[in-house]
């Protein structure tokens, strides 16, 4: 549909793209572990760039097998050259251009690579434990870890990460400061309204929504008689945390998230 792409294809032809695709799949196969799956997809129905590339991949990796794709819709056609489980999408049958999709798997998973769930450990910090009683989100298949007074929930990925630089380690639950636990902004956004015991839900047109986002202290005595930690929401969607005492909301929205 793009005249410039048509011109490029006429100048270069299939063989140019075949070389690129072979180089890409060679690298992809090296990264694929036993039992790993890969989707090979193109925006062409040229056999050289589709089924013949799969034949090339299988010549490099004989244990590579084709898997069946269950979701097939009207207009989807089978692959050719014996690759019946592939999907071909022709522009005269479907509202689109030419497409090819196939799902492949490299052998079988090794036993020691099969995912093993972990039991969730208990949090030793009393202040953190008290706060966690307010949460109805299910923490499963991971562990709680404390690093420099910060509490994280680390999911089990069943892999050795020694030597790998971790940019963000699991979900930051919060931090204990002077014996008091302060929940994180990340936790507030990870929760649903139904997953926290105490919530304050503003209507979207309430001017206090914007004032909360600016970090202001608010009078909410007309909305709630709650005390202590609350999850502040707008129309059912969490924004952040706050503390309420005698109808006054002390803003705990993370400073970096506040509107200036």
């Amino acid at each position: 549909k793009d005249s410039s792409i048509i011109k490029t294809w006429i100048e270069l032809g299939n063989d140019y793209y075949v070389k690129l695709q072979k180089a890409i799949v060679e690298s992809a196969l090296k990264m694929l572990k036993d039992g790993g799956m890969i989707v090979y997809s193109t925006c062409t129905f040229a056999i050289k760039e589709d089924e013949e590339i799969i034949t090339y991949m299988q010549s490099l990796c004989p244990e590579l097998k084709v898997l069946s794709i269950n979701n097939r819709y009207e207009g989807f056609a089978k692959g050719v050259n014996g690759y019946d489980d592939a999907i071909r999408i022709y522009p005269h049958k479907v509202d689109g251009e030419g497409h090819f999709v196939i799902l492949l798997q490299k052998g079988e998973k090794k036993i020691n690579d099969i995912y093993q769930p972990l039991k969730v450990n208990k949090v030793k910090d009393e202040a953190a434990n008290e706060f966690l009683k307010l949460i109805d989100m299910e923490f499963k298949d991971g562990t709680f870890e404390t690093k420099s007074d910060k509490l994280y929930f680390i999911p089990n990925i069943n892999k050795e990460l020694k030597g790998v630089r971790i940019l963000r380690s699991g979900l930051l639950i919060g931090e204990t400061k002077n014996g008091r636990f302060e929940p994180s902004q990340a936790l507030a956004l990870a929760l649903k309204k139904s997953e926290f015991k105490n919530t304050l839900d503003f209507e979207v047109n309430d001017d206090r929504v914007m004032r909360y986002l600016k970090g202001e202290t608010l009078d909410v005595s007309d909305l709630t008689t709650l005390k202590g930690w609350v999850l502040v929401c707008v129309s059912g969607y969490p924004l952040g945390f706050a503390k309420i005492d005698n109808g006054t909301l002390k803003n705990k929205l993370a400073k970096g998230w506040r509107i200036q």
Side-chain angles (χ1 to χ4, degrees):
K1 294 181 180 180
D2 188 323
S3 58
S4 64
I5 293 178
I6 293 173
K7 181 181 178 183
T8 301
W9 190 90
I10 291 172
E11 290 175 354
L12 300 175
N14 282 126
D15 291 338
Y16 173 81
Y17 295 103
V18 166
K19 289 179 183 178
L20 291 177
Q21 287 156 347
K22 284 184 175 180
I24 292 170
V25 298
E26 284 172 13
S27 296
L29 287 173
K30 290 175 184 177
M31 294 186 284
L32 198 60
K33 68 178 182 180
D34 290 332
M37 292 184 286
I38 185 169
V39 175
Y40 178 79
S41 178
T42 69
C43 54
T44 176
F45 43 83
I47 294 174
K48 277 189 174 184
E49 298 183 57
D50 296 335
E51 285 87 353
E52 289 187 10
I53 295 294
I54 305 308
T55 301
Y56 176 70
M57 292 173 73
Q58 290 180 315
S59 72
L60 298 176
C61 182
E63 63 269 38
L64 199 65
K65 58 186 179 182
V66 179
L67 299 182
S68 177
I69 300 175
N70 295 325
N71 294 332
R72 290 175 178 267
Y73 301 93
E74 185 179 353
F76 282 17
K78 293 181 179 179
V80 300
N81 289 5
Y83 293 103
D84 289 352
D85 285 321
I87 293 175
R88 285 182 149 265
I89 302 175
Y90 297 104
H92 65 288
K93 291 188 175 183
V94 176
D95 184 17
E97 300 180 24
H99 300 284
F100 174 86
V101 183
I102 193 167
L103 177 62
L104 306 159
Q105 184 175 29
K106 181 181 177 183
E108 303 293 339
K109 286 186 178 181
K110 292 181 179 178
I111 293 175
N112 57 3
D113 276 343
I114 296 175
Y115 191 66
Q116 299 293 331
L118 290 178
K119 291 183 179 179
V120 177
N121 59 328
K122 293 182 179 180
V123 178
K124 296 179 181 179
D125 187 312
E126 290 185 12
N129 247 325
E130 282 301 308
F131 181 84
L132 288 174
K133 291 177 182 178
L134 299 172
I135 299 176
D136 195 29
M137 181 172 70
E138 187 177 10
F139 292 102
K140 62 179 181 179
D141 200 14
T143 59
F144 286 106
E145 291 186 15
T146 302
K147 301 176 183 179
S148 303
D149 296 325
K150 293 182 178 180
L151 178 66
Y152 295 86
F153 183 74
I154 311 295
N156 174 27
I157 59 172
N158 203 36
K159 287 293 178 185
E160 174 59 55
L161 296 179
K162 185 178 181 180
V164 177
R165 181 175 175 230
I166 307 294
L167 294 179
R168 188 170 285 108
S169 181
L171 174 62
L172 174 61
I173 305 297
E175 183 176 5
T176 300
K177 299 177 180 179
N178 300 319
R180 296 189 301 273
F181 186 77
E182 299 274 343
S184 74
Q185 182 67 28
L187 175 63
L189 298 182
L191 290 168
K192 297 176 184 176
K193 179 185 174 182
S194 59
E195 292 175 331
F196 198 77
K197 184 177 180 181
N198 301 327
T199 61
L200 179 67
D201 198 0
F202 289 115
E203 293 294 331
V204 69
N205 57 357
D206 192 320
D207 71 324
R208 285 173 291 191
V209 173
M210 188 58 68
R211 290 170 60 198
Y212 171 78
L213 291 172
K214 290 181 178 180
E216 295 181 16
T217 298
L218 305 172
D219 180 0
V220 292
S221 57
D222 60 317
L223 296 178
T224 184
T225 57
L226 288 170
K227 289 186 178 182
W229 285 106
V230 295
L231 181 65
V232 179
C233 306
V234 57
S235 298
Y237 294 95
L239 295 179
F241 286 110
K243 257 190 167 181
I244 296 178
D245 186 29
N246 293 324
T248 299
L249 180 146
K250 185 176 181 182
N251 206 311
K252 295 292 183 177
L253 183 68
K255 291 184 178 179
W257 287 74
R258 295 179 183 181
I259 295 174
Q260 302 299 316

